[in-house]
Amino acid sequence: MKKLLTQPIRRLQHVAINCMFIASGLMATQVMASSHREAPLIANDPLADNTDLYVFRSPDDPNMVTIIANYIPAEMPGGGPNYNHFGENIRYEIHIDNNIATPGDDIIYRATFTRTNEDPTTFFSIRLGAENLKTTYMLEKSVDGGLTFNTIVTDGTVPAINIGARSIEDAVVGLGAASYDELMMNAVATAVTGEKVFCGPVDDPFFVDLGGIFDLGNAPRATETPRDGLGHFNTHTIALQIPIRTLNGDGTESASGDWIQVSRLGMPLTNEAVIPLGEKDYWNSLSPYAEDAAHFEYFYNPELALYMDDALFGTAVPQFQKLRIQKASLGAYNFSNGADGLFGLKGSPAVAGTALDDAIFGTLLLPAAGKPRSVDLWPLFFTGAPNLAPYQLATGKAGNPLAAGKPFVNNFLPNGGDMLRLNMAVPVTDRMSPFFSSEGLLAAAVIGLTVDPFNTTTALEFIPNMDGFPNGRRLEDDVTRIELQAVSGIVLAAIGLWYDDYDAATGESPVTRDMRDVINYTTRVEHNDAPFQTTFPYVAAPWRGTEVDFEY
C-alpha cells in the first residue's frame, strides 16, 4: 500500500500550508499539529502519521521561510533493533497555497524514501562503517498544483539513527563521525531550485502534558508533577527553508490516482482535541479544500468550552477553573455553547463595513443563531484574521469592539480550510528579546493592549510576537496553552469583548481578574525538553538510545 502525507501554506505576503500522507488505496489528507496518534486508524500506521507542522520566518535569515513537518509519534531512542524510519510506500507531501484568487494548492513538495541493507549478514543497524537500513530520499517539486513534478534533490541523505557512541563516532566499528551533530549537519542538502532541505530523525519539538490533558483535562495536574509526555522521545522531520520570493505562483490541484490520503495536518490539535472520536478517521481523509461543513459545528460550539462553563460541566474539570468564557460581555453578549454570540447584530448598521457585514464576506462569520464561536474560534482555524474591524486590538476603540482599533495580524486567506496561515510580511521577533514569548499572538495582543508605547497609538506597527502562532507556528510556541486560552475567549477580549467582571462605569482596566486568570493559565509544561538550534533545521538532534532512561 502506498501512502501520502501532506501539509499546506499561504501568503499575504500570505501563505497557507498543509501536510499530507498519501497511500495507495487511501486518499490524501492533511493533519493538524499537533497530532500524535490522533485517530484510531492512523494510530495503527505510525510511519504515515503526521505529528506536527511548523511554519515561520527564519530567525537568522528573515528572507527565508522555514517549514518543518514531523512524522512518526513517540519514537523511543533505544527502540532497536528495528528503529523507526520513513516509509518506502509513502509520499510525504507539503502543500502550499499562496494565491487567494485560485482554488487549490499552488506549490507541492513531495519526498519519497528508499532503504538499503549495506550489510545483511549482521543483526546490528550499524557495523564496520555499514548501515542497515541506510535511507536516502528524492525530493520533487510542483509549481502547477501537482500536474507535473520536477526532481530537485536526488539521492538525499537521511542521517543514521542516533544509536550510541560506538555506532556513530567509533572510527573502527562504527561510522566514524566526529559527532552526531556533524552527521546531522552534513545531511543538509541544497535543492537545485535553491531550497535547503533536511530529512531525518530529531528530538520531538512538541511539548505538552499528554497524560494530564487526556486524563479528562487534568492540566495543570492537581496532585502530581506535570510531565512533558513527549520529553526524550524522537520523531522524523522533513525541514525546508525556502526563499520568500519563491513563495508566489498560481496552480491547480491534480488527482491522486490510486494514491489515498491517510493523514493530514494544518492547525495544531484540530483532530486530536476538537474533532470527536467517531469522525477522526473521516476527517483525516478530507482535503482542506473540501472540508465537511458538519465539522464546523465542533468549532462553533467546541466540546472544550463545556468544561469552562459552570452551568454545564465546568465543575467537573477543576484544573480549567481559570478558563471561563464570556457569558455577559459588555452586559449583552453570550459566547457559551448554544448561545448566539454576536449573531443578534447581523444585518444591523453596527456591523456595516466590518468583517461581519454580509456585503463583505457573506455569511462566513455570522452563519446562524446558536453558533457563538463563529466569530473567533472558527476563523482562527479556517480563514485567519482580516485587517478589518472587529479583528483589530481594542486599543483606540473607545469601548466599542466594532470600531476601528489598532491594526493587528492580517493573515486572512478564506480559500481552503484547516491550514497554517502565515503573513510573511510580519518581521521576526528576536529570540533573545525580553519581549519574546512562547505565547505567540496572545503575547503580542497583551503587549499591544497594555505596554507603552504600543498601547498609545492606533498606528500600524510591528508588535513583538506577531510572528507567533496562530500566525504560522514557531518551534517555541506553546500551542496547547494558546488554544485552551482561545477556547476561553481571550481572542474576544483582545478585540474589546471583555470578560464578564469588567465594569466600564468604574473606569477600571479591562485587564480584570477573569482576564488575568486566562492570561496566566498554564499547563506547567511550557518549553521543549531540549534547546533548539539557532540555524537551519533549528530542531534539536535526536536523543541517543544509550542515554535516555525515561526517569522523571
Side-chain angles (χ1 to χ4, degrees):
M1 176 177 289
K2 306 175 207 170
K3 306 179 183 101
L4 165 69
L5 185 63
T6 57
Q7 304 189 359
I9 184 170
R10 291 181 219 213
R11 109 165 226 146
L12 194 82
Q13 291 184 54
H14 282 160
V15 289
I17 299 180
N18 159 29
C19 91
M20 297 182 180
F21 272 126
I22 292 181
S24 177
L26 297 177
M27 178 180 147
T29 66
Q30 308 161 35
V31 160
M32 172 176 155
S34 169
S35 290
H36 295 68
R37 297 173 53 81
E38 79 286 351
L41 286 177
I42 198 60
N44 296 326
D45 196 1
L47 301 189
D49 191 352
N50 318 64
T51 64
D52 278 287
L53 175 65
Y54 303 84
V55 185
F56 53 91
R57 285 185 70 178
S58 304
D60 58 328
D61 188 351
N63 293 317
M64 309 289 279
V65 165
T66 294
I67 303 171
I68 294 173
N70 292 340
Y71 310 97
I72 311 172
E75 298 180 9
M76 294 185 64
N82 296 302
Y83 294 93
N84 294 102
H85 54 81
F86 288 112
E88 290 183 286
N89 62 341
I90 298 170
R91 289 176 174 174
Y92 299 82
E93 295 187 356
I94 294 171
H95 290 215
I96 299 173
D97 178 359
N98 59 8
N99 191 334
I100 195 172
T102 59
D105 302 313
D106 298 305
I107 301 172
I108 300 174
Y109 292 92
R110 173 186 292 168
T112 51
F113 295 85
T114 301
R115 295 180 294 146
T116 303
N117 278 316
E118 292 188 323
D119 182 2
T121 68
T122 178
F123 66 85
F124 288 111
S125 294
I126 294 174
R127 188 185 71 164
L128 300 175
E131 184 183 340
N132 295 322
L133 293 155
K134 184 178 179 63
T135 305
T136 58
Y137 67 91
M138 177 178 68
L139 184 67
E140 299 171 279
K141 179 180 180 180
S142 172
V143 294
D144 57 13
L147 293 175
T148 59
F149 282 86
N150 294 315
T151 300
I152 61 173
V153 176
T154 303
D155 203 28
T157 298
V158 175
I161 298 296
N162 194 3
I163 297 171
R166 281 171 54 79
S167 297
I168 301 301
E169 286 97 3
D170 194 293
V172 177
V173 298
L175 295 180
S179 66
Y180 192 85
D181 284 344
E182 178 191 72
L183 201 69
M184 187 175 174
M185 290 303 108
N186 286 344
V188 174
T190 300
V192 296
T193 44
E195 299 90 341
K196 284 186 178 180
V197 186
F198 173 81
C199 299
V202 298
D203 161 65
D204 192 325
F206 188 55
F207 47 95
V208 62
D209 187 353
L210 283 172
I213 289 290
F214 289 108
D215 184 22
L216 294 175
N218 188 21
R221 299 195 192 192
T223 59
E224 304 166 292
T225 301
R227 165 182 164 182
D228 180 0
L230 296 168
H232 290 180
F233 282 102
N234 295 330
T235 189
H236 272 62
T237 198
I238 298 174
L240 302 174
Q241 191 173 58
I242 307 169
I244 286 178
R245 66 179 183 272
T246 71
L247 291 178
N248 296 308
D250 295 342
T252 57
E253 287 190 275
S254 64
S256 299
D258 63 345
W259 290 83
I260 294 180
Q261 179 174 303
V262 297
S263 181
R264 65 164 168 148
L265 184 59
M267 285 285 287
L269 302 171
T270 297
N271 205 8
E272 207 156 35
V274 179
I275 303 299
L277 185 62
E279 296 289 309
K280 289 181 181 293
D281 293 326
Y282 170 51
W283 188 91
N284 255 356
S285 73
L286 297 173
S287 161
Y289 305 107
E291 300 280 8
D292 188 332
H295 291 168
F296 296 168
E297 189 62 34
Y298 305 129
F299 298 87
Y300 298 150
N301 290 280
E303 180 186 355
L304 280 169
L306 298 175
Y307 315 123
M308 300 175 186
D309 185 342
D310 287 340
L312 297 170
F313 305 108
T315 57
V317 185
Q319 284 68 40
F320 287 178
Q321 184 60 47
K322 292 186 175 181
L323 300 174
R324 288 296 178 265
I325 298 160
Q326 298 94 317
K327 301 180 75 172
S329 181
L330 305 180
Y333 303 108
N334 186 346
F335 296 95
S336 60
N337 280 22
D340 286 344
L342 295 180
F343 185 75
L345 296 174
K346 186 178 179 69
S348 71
V351 298
T354 75
L356 307 182
D357 187 342
D358 283 0
I360 295 180
F361 295 131
T363 61
L364 197 64
L365 299 170
L366 290 175
K371 303 179 188 300
R373 312 309 295 276
S374 65
V375 295
D376 65 323
L377 285 187
W378 187 82
L380 182 74
F381 283 81
F382 288 95
T383 66
N387 186 24
L388 284 174
Y391 300 105
Q392 296 167 334
L393 292 183
T395 299
K397 289 188 174 183
N400 177 8
L402 298 176
K406 187 174 184 64
F408 202 46
V409 169
N410 178 11
N411 64 348
F412 183 70
L413 288 162
N415 50 325
D418 185 278
M419 295 184 276
L420 273 178
R421 289 164 167 83
L422 174 66
N423 181 344
M424 298 188 298
V426 175
V428 172
T429 304
D430 188 340
R431 286 351 186 224
M432 301 305 295
S433 166
F435 284 121
F436 183 82
S437 171
S438 64
E439 289 232 75
L441 278 189
L442 175 56
V446 171
I447 293 170
L449 290 168
T450 65
V451 177
D452 186 356
F454 301 103
N455 67 342
T456 62
T457 174
T458 58
L460 173 64
E461 62 182 336
F462 170 63
I463 304 171
N465 297 295
M466 282 176 67
D467 58 324
F469 179 78
N471 181 31
R473 180 187 178 188
R474 305 171 299 187
L475 290 167
E476 297 88 351
D477 288 333
D478 189 351
V479 297
T480 304
R481 180 183 183 185
I482 294 169
E483 290 193 354
L484 284 170
Q485 291 165 316
V487 172
S488 188
I490 197 65
V491 174
L492 298 168
I495 65 176
L497 288 157
W498 307 118
Y499 284 93
D500 296 357
D501 60 343
Y502 171 67
D503 184 357
T506 66
E508 65 180 1
S509 167
V511 185
T512 59
R513 184 197 65 188
D514 285 355
M515 189 170 181
R516 287 194 298 270
D517 281 348
V518 176
I519 291 172
N520 294 327
Y521 170 81
T522 175
T523 65
R524 292 172 54 200
V525 175
E526 298 180 351
H527 57 80
N528 192 41
D529 57 331
F532 298 121
Q533 300 185 69
T534 58
T535 59
F536 183 81
Y538 304 108
V539 283
W543 291 94
R544 176 154 284 183
T546 55
E547 295 176 346
V548 174
D549 56 16
F550 290 96
E551 291 182 1
Y552 291 84

